[in-house]
Amino acid sequence: MAAPTTSRMAEIRAAALELFARHGYAATTMADIGAAVGVRGPSLYRHVTAKQDLLVEIMTSTMDALIATHISAVATTADPTERLRRAVDAHVRFHARHRVEAFVGNSEIRSLTEPHRSAVVARRAEYEAGFRTLITDGVELGRFHVGSARLASYAILDLGMGVATWFREGGELTENEVAWQQTEFALRLVGAL
């Protein structure tokens, strides 16, 4: 019995994500989401209580997945260059594979109400701090050369987030080529190459 509810909730989440990306959060109604999954009126409220709940779930689960991906990427090496290489590779690939989530996450942060907005902003700060720590560690070991670890981390994050805007499967470059080149750019940015 739980599987259909989970399956239905996944459909509702996917429909909300697509509609938020296409029309924006403010212009999307619960009726629009229900229509997209073939659920009418009150039936939708058996699965989700409010549109805000869907946005919160999309944004927090995306950030949680991104943080977990980062932690996993850097967990098995102590070498600062290799840690940064793996972190950037994971960051770029995540954004190539989750373009819609990245778009909604960046464009709809303004639509979150408190305390949800603060929670998502805190997750973003945690994610950025992971990159900043990697860069700071490399600087302290004399492997990286940057004036501001924070500014370098923002620049590296922008490399990956930009991928969500322009990368397409079957495009001029493969995901592997994009991940490799963006990683090389990041390593050059910190003076590791």
Side-chain angles (χ1 to χ4, degrees):
M1 189 102 164
T5 301
T6 302
S7 174
R8 176 57 81 177
M9 192 57 210
E11 290 175 36
I12 293 168
R13 181 195 187 280
L17 176 63
E18 181 61 35
L19 289 167
F20 294 163
R22 189 177 323 140
H23 304 294
Y25 175 82
T28 300
T29 66
M30 287 291 278
D32 295 333
I33 296 166
V37 295
V39 175
R40 295 176 49 151
S43 296
L44 183 60
Y45 291 96
R46 281 191 263 157
H47 301 283
V48 62
T49 57
K51 181 174 73 164
Q52 182 74 187
D53 294 343
L54 288 166
L55 183 61
V56 168
E57 193 284 325
I58 289 166
M59 294 183 84
T60 57
S61 65
T62 299
M63 282 309 306
D64 289 347
L66 194 53
I67 290 166
T69 298
H70 175 85
I71 291 168
S72 177
V74 302
T76 60
T77 184
D79 178 73
T81 303
E82 187 57 27
R83 286 171 61 87
L84 186 58
R85 180 184 307 280
R86 291 178 186 186
V88 173
D89 182 82
H91 178 69
V92 170
R93 289 179 190 280
F94 187 93
H95 283 82
R97 295 173 186 170
H98 302 281
R99 294 186 317 270
V100 178
E101 290 90 338
F103 175 78
V104 170
N106 286 324
S107 64
E108 295 299 343
I109 187 92
R110 66 179 183 257
S111 299
L112 288 171
T113 59
E114 290 298 345
H116 309 297
R117 185 181 190 287
S118 292
V120 171
V121 168
R123 282 176 170 89
R124 287 176 169 212
E126 176 186 349
Y127 187 64
E128 182 276 327
F131 277 89
R132 189 170 6 107
T133 298
L134 293 175
I135 294 164
T136 300
D137 291 348
V139 168
E140 289 173 357
L141 292 170
R143 302 279 297 276
F144 302 158
H145 309 283
V146 297
S148 168
R150 182 181 298 272
L151 187 56
S153 71
Y154 289 156
I156 290 170
L157 291 174
D158 282 347
L159 283 174
M161 292 185 307
V163 168
T165 304
W166 56 263
F167 177 77
R168 296 294 178 265
E169 289 288 332
E172 181 183 337
L173 299 170
T174 67
E175 179 183 310
N176 287 337
E177 291 169 323
V178 170
W180 181 82
Q181 287 187 31
Q182 296 291 66
T183 300
E184 293 296 301
F185 293 151
L187 292 173
R188 285 188 180 95
L189 188 139
V190 298
L193 295 180

